[in-house]
């Protein structure tokens, strides 16, 4: 059986694939999206794992609404994607009730951030505030890098990522060698107090730079300064962003087919000609096919060596997933929000958007990260906490609270199914046992219900290999013009009319739609499409 033909077929209804479909449809193509799940969004989803309480998988939004072109081009705000910009962005509490450290958003008085850090060190406070000001300039440079196809090596610039990393270090007034070191090197070079170092060591992995990851200095710099105070909360859950993107595509005329799993990309006469679905249905693509599935699945499963050749098969097999970016999520429905001992010095820590809980000393964070990276479930059950109901009451019933804590875990393949089941059933108890020393009201009596979401869950339910939400580790050798590997870096899949638009492509995953936007830029050149909104006005990207 065959469905009608389309100009373009998109495999996967995640944020990138849906974004790409909307741009292509607006450019005059007839587009269809085939999604194997029952709804669009993939990792940009909100769970109701405890009835009446909402929990986000993708939580911290650094791109929309300020920096993301698709948000404005496609009118997502009018379709329901709206955000809150919390004043107290990130903080750390301590088990002995020492004063917390709180970083405020860039639109708040920066002196509040300085004052909070200065409780421990005037030097650290002044250093951080100065670097934060320089980070405001770096944001534009980095977002342009994200919303542009990767610069390819040339005689003038043989290593574009290294050039960008050096430029960032120069902008921040820091030695270039720190770009090739670790975030720990960077933090120890800049800051003197163990309390602040503990905070920053835990904060840096939120942007995929584990404290002791080599060649992570430049990414660590970005994660600590432009991004750590640039987080928005999606009103009603991050699924509103995915739904708004899907509605934008439908408004343009895109056809969506849910519960429609693609099992093969069809190739004829050297070009992509369509797809075959699990039920045997074939769908013809007159111009192009784009896959937002991960690169390994696309190449190994949907294509195969006969279509792509041995080089691409070998490259796809060697794409690295994890250990960074592999998530576990603690979800709890609470009677009361956490009340930290440190709040006696500054009650704002009880209403901080991202709160580090469970770590008092730098070495505790380093041990936690080392164990996760080595394939062990961390003994120290410290987490980064969000209580979204403090900001948006739609996340929980009246008077109750939605608590979500994120931590990085071993890759899904590191534990057996039985071992992951034990983690799922017991790790929340370990978290409560630890963090009640920081927030005495966080006992079992305060918990209405709980759920722990493992990397294996992410792999099996959201089809993220190893539970890695990045679509592949973001490190030198797999970043920029080498992501996911050099032959595929420009979103073209080595077969005429076939493209890759998943989170494994440059720059990475997240609530950004960067990959979908960049893939459309490449397609606009390949097909001579007239719709090029980035060429209008004073837009840089």
């Amino acid at each position: 059986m065959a469905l009608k033909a389309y100009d373009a077929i998109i495999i996967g209804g995640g944020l990138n694939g849906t974004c790409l479909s909307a741009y292509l449809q607006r450019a005059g193509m007839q587009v269809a999206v085939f999604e194997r799940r029952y709804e669009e969004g993939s990792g940009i989803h909100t769970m109701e794992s405890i009835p009446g309480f909402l929990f986000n998988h993708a939580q911290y939004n650094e791109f929309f609404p300020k920096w993301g072109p698709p948000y404005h081009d496609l009118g997502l705000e009018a379709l329901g994607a709206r955000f809150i910009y919390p004043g107290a962005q990130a903080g750390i509490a301590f088990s002995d009730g020492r004063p917390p450290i709180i970083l405020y958003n860039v639109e708040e008085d920066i002196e509040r951030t300085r004052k909070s850090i200065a409780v421990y060190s005037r030097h650290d406070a002044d250093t951080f505030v100065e670097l934060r000001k320089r980070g405001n300039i770096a944001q534009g440079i980095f977002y342009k890098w994200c919303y542009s196809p990767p610069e390819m090596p040339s005689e003038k610039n043989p290593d574009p990522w290294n050039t960008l990393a050096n430029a960032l270090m120069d902008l921040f007034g820091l030695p270039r060698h720190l770009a090739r070191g670790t975030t720990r090197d960077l933090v120890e070079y800049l800051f003197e107090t163990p309390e602040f170092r503990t905070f920053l060591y835990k904060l840096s992995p939120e942007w995929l730079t584990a404290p002791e990851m080599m060649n992570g200095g430049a990414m660590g710099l970005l994660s600590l300064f432009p991004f750590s105070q640039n987080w928005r909360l999606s009103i009603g859950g991050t699924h509103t962003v995915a739904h708004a993107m899907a509605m934008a595509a439908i408004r343009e005329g895109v056809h969506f087919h849910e519960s429609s799993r693609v099992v093969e990309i069809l190739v004829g006469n050297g070009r992509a000609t369509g797809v075959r679905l699990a039920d045997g249905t074939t769908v013809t693509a007159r111009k192009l096919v784009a896959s937002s599935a991960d690169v390994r699945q696309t190449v190994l499963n949907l294509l195969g060596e006969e279509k792509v050749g041995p080089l691409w098969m070998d490259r796809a097999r060697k794409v690295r997933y994890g250990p960074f970016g592999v998530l576990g999520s603690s979800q709890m429905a609470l009677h009361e929000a956490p009340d930290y001992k440190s709040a006696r010095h500054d009650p704002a820590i009880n209403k901080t958007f991202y709160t580090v809980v469970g770590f008092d000393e730098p070495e505790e964070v380093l041990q936690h990260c080392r164990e996760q990276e080595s394939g062990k479930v961390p003994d120290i059950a410290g987490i980064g906490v969000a209580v979204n109901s403090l900001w948006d009451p739609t996340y929980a019933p009246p008077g109750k609270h939605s608590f979500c804590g994120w931590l990085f875990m071993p890759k899904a393949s590191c534990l057996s199914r039985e071992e992951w089941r034990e983690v799922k059933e017991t790790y929340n108890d370990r978290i409560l046992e630890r963090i009640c020393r920081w927030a005495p009201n966080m006992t079992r009596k305060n918990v209405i219900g709980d759920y722990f979401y493992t990397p294996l869950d992410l792999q099996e339910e959201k089809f993220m290999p190893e539970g890695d939400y990045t679509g592949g580790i973001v490190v030198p050798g797999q970043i920029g013009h080498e992501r996911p590997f050099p032959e595929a870096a420009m979103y073209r899949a080595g077969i005429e009319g076939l493209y890759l638009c998943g989170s494994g492509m440059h720059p990475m995953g997240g609530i950004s739609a960067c990959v979908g936007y960049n893939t459309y830029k490449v397609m606009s050149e390949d097909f001579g499409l007239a719709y090029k909104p980035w060429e209008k006005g004073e837009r840089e990207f």
Side-chain angles (χ1 to χ4, degrees):
M1 182 177 71
L3 287 176
K4 64 172 287 186
Y6 293 92
D7 294 321
I9 291 172
I10 312 297
I11 302 169
L15 200 65
N16 286 306
T18 306
C19 172
L20 173 60
S21 76
Y23 277 96
L24 286 171
Q25 189 77 33
R26 183 172 285 187
M29 290 194 186
Q30 179 59 64
V31 186
V33 175
F34 290 87
E35 166 58 43
R36 60 179 159 183
R37 296 182 67 245
Y38 53 88
E39 67 173 347
E40 290 68 39
S42 187
I44 314 300
H45 75 282
T46 301
M47 303 173 64
E48 195 173 344
S49 46
I50 300 150
F53 295 81
L54 302 182
F55 305 92
N56 293 327
H57 166 62
Q59 161 81 356
Y60 299 106
N61 178 20
E62 305 91 347
F63 291 86
F64 294 159
K66 183 176 181 180
W67 292 102
Y71 184 83
H72 303 285
D73 291 344
L74 301 174
L76 300 190
E77 181 178 10
L79 295 172
R82 300 182 178 90
F83 303 91
I84 296 169
Y85 191 15
Q89 281 274 293
I92 183 171
F94 298 99
S95 66
D96 60 3
R98 276 173 283 170
I101 300 173
I102 301 172
L103 308 180
Y104 291 86
N105 78 40
V106 294
E107 295 176 3
E108 296 276 328
D109 184 355
I110 201 167
E111 291 306 313
R112 297 180 71 184
T113 296
R114 190 197 304 269
K115 182 179 178 181
S116 184
I117 303 170
V119 169
Y120 292 97
S121 168
R122 171 60 64 177
H123 167 272
D124 287 2
D126 291 344
T127 300
F128 185 87
V129 167
E130 175 57 32
L131 291 172
R132 188 64 192 83
K133 291 177 180 177
R134 298 187 186 192
N136 291 340
I137 301 171
Q139 282 186 122
I141 296 172
F142 185 71
Y143 284 117
K144 182 177 181 179
W145 180 79
C146 287
Y147 283 104
S148 303
E151 180 181 356
M152 301 304 288
S154 63
E155 184 176 342
K156 182 179 179 181
N157 187 9
D159 189 345
W161 169 249
N162 187 57
T163 300
L164 176 62
N166 286 337
L168 288 170
M169 290 296 160
D170 294 345
L171 176 62
F172 281 90
L174 299 174
R176 288 185 171 185
H177 72 84
L178 289 174
R180 286 165 287 284
T182 68
T183 300
R184 179 182 181 180
D185 296 331
L186 179 74
V187 169
E188 291 183 355
Y189 177 86
L190 291 170
F191 304 109
E192 61 187 15
T193 60
E195 289 85 359
F196 201 38
R197 287 179 176 180
T198 302
F199 185 18
L200 298 180
Y201 287 166
K202 181 62 179 77
L203 199 58
S204 65
E206 299 300 339
W207 252 84
L208 309 179
T209 50
E212 296 179 301
M213 183 181 83
M214 290 304 300
N215 293 305
M219 285 296 290
L221 186 67
L222 290 166
S223 69
L224 295 177
F225 298 103
F227 303 131
S228 60
Q229 302 107 72
N230 194 33
W231 286 330
R232 271 84 170 167
L233 171 66
S234 294
I235 297 174
T238 51
H239 62 176
T240 62
V241 179
H243 295 168
M245 190 70 81
M247 289 301 295
I250 291 168
R251 179 198 60 209
E252 298 298 328
V254 174
H255 291 183
F256 281 88
H257 301 267
E258 290 91 1
S259 301
S260 298
R261 182 166 65 94
V262 173
V263 296
E264 183 184 4
I265 296 172
L266 304 177
V267 176
N269 297 321
R271 65 173 296 274
T273 60
V275 298
R276 181 170 61 85
L277 306 181
D279 65 1
T281 300
T282 60
V283 191
T284 298
R286 289 186 286 260
K287 295 183 178 180
L288 67 92
V289 174
S291 175
S292 65
D294 72 273
V295 175
R296 188 181 293 178
Q297 178 192 354
T298 300
V299 173
L300 302 185
N301 299 339
L302 302 185
L303 288 165
E305 186 168 351
E306 183 179 340
K307 296 174 183 175
V308 301
L311 174 62
W312 274 67
M313 294 291 286
D314 181 62
R315 295 287 205 199
R317 290 189 183 103
K318 291 178 179 177
V319 172
R320 297 166 58 197
Y321 298 92
F324 317 118
V326 177
L327 282 178
S329 175
S330 171
Q331 303 171 359
M332 301 188 197
L334 302 180
H335 292 292
E336 299 175 351
D339 184 12
Y340 299 107
K341 293 178 183 177
S342 293
R344 68 191 182 195
H345 296 284
D346 187 346
I349 192 64
N350 281 349
K351 197 179 179 183
T352 299
F353 188 35
Y354 169 93
T355 311
V356 174
V357 187
F359 301 104
D360 278 334
E361 304 294 338
E363 187 57 36
E364 291 178 330
V365 182
L366 297 177
Q367 177 187 333
H368 176 97
C369 292
R370 289 169 190 154
E371 289 176 344
Q372 175 263 327
E373 292 162 27
S374 66
K376 179 182 177 183
V377 175
D379 285 331
I380 297 175
I383 52 177
V385 171
V387 184
N388 293 337
S389 50
L390 291 169
W391 302 95
D392 179 359
T394 65
Y395 278 80
K400 306 301 178 182
H401 291 285
S402 171
F403 168 107
C404 203
W406 287 268
L407 69 159
F408 292 94
M409 296 289 279
K411 296 189 291 186
S413 61
C414 289
L415 276 69
S416 68
R417 184 174 298 276
E418 291 71 25
E419 289 170 324
W420 279 124
R421 184 180 298 113
E422 182 180 0
V423 171
K424 192 177 189 71
E425 293 173 354
T426 63
Y427 207 78
N428 275 340
D429 287 326
R430 294 173 62 180
I431 289 171
L432 286 170
E433 180 181 3
R434 185 164 184 84
I435 68 173
C436 71
R437 292 165 47 197
W438 278 253
N441 69 328
M442 284 298 293
T443 65
R444 261 292 159 194
K445 291 182 179 180
N446 191 34
V447 179
I448 300 166
D450 68 287
Y451 186 87
F452 194 86
Y453 204 66
T454 70
L456 184 63
D457 293 328
L458 276 174
Q459 178 172 277
E460 295 188 342
E461 295 178 19
K462 306 302 177 189
F463 311 104
M464 297 180 181
E466 298 288 7
D468 182 351
Y469 77 89
T470 68
I473 186 173
V474 184
V475 292
Q478 202 165 284
I479 194 171
H481 66 280
E482 296 182 298
R483 184 168 179 84
F485 46 86
E487 292 82 1
M490 289 302 290
Y491 312 99
R492 302 182 183 98
I495 295 171
E496 183 182 349
L498 183 60
Y499 296 82
L500 301 168
C501 63
S503 60
M505 307 303 293
H506 167 78
M508 66 193 77
I511 312 173
S512 67
C514 289
V515 178
Y517 182 74
N518 291 341
T519 307
Y520 176 73
K521 282 188 170 184
V522 170
M523 290 176 174
S524 72
E525 297 302 319
D526 290 352
F527 291 91
L529 303 177
Y531 179 59
K532 297 180 179 181
W534 55 89
E535 294 182 351
K536 297 179 180 178
E538 299 180 354
R539 278 173 60 167
E540 291 190 75
F541 49 88

